[in-house]
Amino acid sequence: VSAMNAKPSSGGEEEASGMRSKTLGERGRVGEIKRRRTIFVAYLIATLELTFLFMQMGVMPYLAKSLGLDSVGFGYLQTTFGVLQLVGGPIFGRFADQFGTRAALILSCASGSAFFLLLSISSSIPLLFLSRLPAVFMHGLPGAQKVITDLTTPSQRADALGKLGLCFGIGIIIGSALGGVLSAKFGIFVPTYVGLVGNLINTMIAIMWIPLQAKPKSDHHVTEHSNVFSIREILRLMKFPGVMEVFIVKVFAGLPVGLFLIMFSIISMDFFGLEAVESGYLMSYFGVLQMVVQGLVVGKLTNHCTERTLLRLCVFVFAGVGLGMALMRTVWHYCVVAVPLVFAFSTLGTITDSILTKAVPSSDTGTMLGICASVQPLTRTVGPTIGGVLYKQFGVSSFGYLQLIVNMGLFVYLLKSKIPLREMKSQ
């Protein structure tokens, strides 16, 4: 009898075990669907925010001119925007680590709404400068990077972060075109109204579709709620192994090219002899290249190469780009040089972001991404002054020679140094 009873008992245990594994499997599938949906929403928020940002960039010179702001004043306006973004990047990252990604994205989208609201009522130069103030918390791209960093494994991270380049490319192409069409057909202030409504919609998307805690519980470290504005906490991350070395490469490898791109509106007129429409086409060409590289190329490279190899490759290609820039004479030469330039620029940004977020605890990834996001505003802040001196004193070729020298030095440094990296290739 006992033997007979044992069989049903054992069968019941197997059935219960099977049901448990089935339930766990279903939970896993539901969790995976939610994870993918959250990542998609992060891509959507970043795309919309970048589209509206590039839309206003296209009309800002005309809006400033209509209010009586000269070229020097417009330079100050751009510098103000750069400084606010530079200061706000690490603070926004700390906010994301302290209060969660959802709160950070809502803050970014709400700041975008305030930015466009102030811009839409800018009837004087002081109001125009005041409209720049919310830019301190407008960091949709680092916010989306934070979501992706929280929801991907280290081996998937570079590929997932690289796809944000598609968002950037779409933002450049659609934003630039939309700003021009809306301002030409309906008036100079219409793009600001569209930006205001768009950012309010973006805020609602973040509230409804980004979960309260995006980071998986196993990865979440409860951190002490120290001051969001703590400089000591921000600088502490630079002391982790390999962080300072990789950050130096991130800042300096693309700096000469960054200076060139900041001066490009002047260079395209004076050196290449392009009209405004032709410059617009060139920007669209850049956007398409960036979409192809970050959407298709970076992911495949991270599947087959280690991040150390890709870091060295980017710096080596950047040195070649420097030589090409030093020798270019026509816009067609520049179109050829632009291919390796965009490849190196895009891949370096993605790979260094991936390396740096892996080098710090998961509770500090937001702050690290905020620090990374400050590199571009830093270039925009110092760029007009340094770039202007280089261009006036030494000509266009000086950007290329500087790029070549800096990156040859960095390449030798990377070959000789033993930077500790958590090497992982995607499976």
Side-chain angles (χ1 to χ4, degrees):
V1 176
S2 63
M4 287 173 68
N5 287 340
K7 281 185 181 177
S9 166
S10 122
E13 281 175 17
E14 282 176 19
E15 192 178 331
S17 172
M19 285 183 73
R20 272 199 304 272
S21 61
K22 188 180 177 184
T23 306
L24 286 169
E26 282 175 4
R27 278 182 189 168
R29 277 196 296 275
V30 170
E32 180 62 18
I33 290 166
K34 284 184 178 177
R35 188 186 73 85
R36 288 185 179 181
R37 187 185 69 189
T38 305
I39 289 173
F40 172 77
V41 171
Y43 286 140
L44 177 64
I45 288 171
T47 303
L48 290 173
E49 185 159 316
L50 288 163
T51 300
F52 302 135
L53 197 62
F54 281 109
M55 186 174 69
Q56 69 86 29
M57 279 181 183
V59 300
M60 269 309 293
Y62 305 100
L63 181 57
K65 193 176 179 181
S66 71
L67 295 175
L69 198 67
D70 61 11
S71 58
V72 176
F74 184 69
Y76 290 143
L77 189 70
Q78 296 293 78
T79 303
T80 303
F81 185 82
V83 169
L84 287 167
Q85 289 255 295
L86 175 65
V87 171
I91 295 169
F92 179 84
R94 285 276 296 151
F95 182 89
D97 284 333
Q98 296 275 335
F99 301 102
T101 315
R102 182 170 178 256
L105 278 172
I106 291 168
L107 175 65
S108 176
C109 297
S111 298
S113 303
F115 175 86
F116 279 101
L117 176 63
L118 288 169
L119 197 58
S120 67
I121 58 169
S122 293
S123 54
S124 64
I125 291 171
L127 263 177
L128 193 63
F129 273 88
L130 186 66
S131 72
R132 308 284 98 179
L133 204 56
V136 75
F137 293 123
M138 282 169 59
H139 295 280
L141 195 60
Q145 286 176 323
K146 170 71 173 158
V147 172
I148 290 160
T149 302
D150 286 349
L151 295 178
T152 54
T153 61
S155 60
Q156 299 169 327
R157 192 167 298 168
D159 183 22
L161 288 172
K163 286 186 171 64
L164 272 172
L166 280 170
C167 306
F168 202 86
I170 292 167
I172 289 176
I173 294 165
I174 297 177
S176 303
L178 196 60
V181 170
L182 289 174
S183 59
K185 287 199 170 186
F186 305 106
I188 199 79
F189 280 100
V190 171
T192 65
Y193 304 143
V194 172
L196 171 59
V197 173
N199 272 277
L200 289 171
I201 292 168
N202 232 3
T203 308
M204 294 306 298
I205 291 171
I207 291 168
M208 291 172 68
W209 294 102
I210 298 293
L212 198 59
Q213 183 53 58
K215 190 180 293 187
K217 285 177 185 175
S218 59
D219 289 347
H220 183 58
H221 300 287
V222 179
T223 53
E224 184 189 339
H225 277 255
S226 54
N227 187 1
V228 171
F229 299 94
S230 172
I231 302 295
R232 190 189 294 112
E233 279 295 306
I234 292 165
L235 293 176
R236 174 179 62 85
L237 300 186
M238 288 296 166
K239 294 174 184 174
F240 281 95
V243 169
M244 183 59 83
E245 294 91 332
V246 173
F247 192 73
I248 286 169
V249 173
K250 183 180 182 69
V251 172
F252 289 103
L255 184 60
V257 165
L259 298 177
F260 171 82
L261 293 174
I262 282 167
M263 298 302 297
F264 187 72
S265 56
I266 294 169
I267 291 168
S268 64
M269 284 189 295
D270 295 353
F271 187 75
F272 294 130
L274 300 181
E275 298 292 328
V277 176
E278 293 165 327
S279 291
Y281 291 148
L282 209 54
M283 284 298 290
S284 297
Y285 170 63
F286 249 86
V288 171
L289 278 179
Q290 183 154 4
M291 286 172 68
V292 171
V293 169
Q294 290 205 262
L296 304 173
V297 178
V298 175
K300 285 186 169 57
L301 281 175
T302 55
N303 288 341
H304 299 97
C305 306
T306 63
E307 287 173 341
R308 187 188 299 274
T309 304
L310 288 176
L311 193 61
R312 288 171 178 169
L313 175 65
C314 289
V315 171
F316 184 74
V317 171
F318 256 146
V321 166
L323 184 61
M325 284 173 64
L327 299 174
M328 72 179 176
R329 293 291 174 268
T330 68
V331 71
W332 298 110
H333 293 164
Y334 179 61
C335 286
V336 173
V337 171
V339 177
L341 189 158
V342 170
F343 166 78
F345 220 108
S346 303
T347 309
L348 183 80
T350 302
I351 293 302
T352 50
D353 284 353
S354 177
I355 291 169
L356 291 167
T357 52
K358 290 177 197 174
V360 298
S362 63
S363 54
D364 290 315
T365 51
T367 309
M368 191 72 252
L369 286 166
I371 294 168
C372 292
S374 296
V375 174
Q376 271 195 325
L378 176 66
T379 309
R380 281 203 301 267
T381 304
V382 302
T385 307
I386 300 172
V389 170
L390 279 173
Y391 181 55
K392 283 182 180 177
Q393 299 295 324
F394 307 104
V396 171
S397 60
S398 63
F399 294 102
Y401 288 122
L402 184 62
Q403 180 74 11
L404 176 63
I405 293 163
V406 167
N407 280 276
M408 285 309 294
L410 288 173
F411 187 68
V412 172
Y413 170 69
L414 285 174
L415 287 177
K416 289 189 172 183
S417 68
K418 303 289 181 189
I419 301 171
L421 301 180
R422 291 189 196 174
E423 289 294 1
M424 289 185 193
K425 289 186 281 186
S426 300
Q427 298 303 312

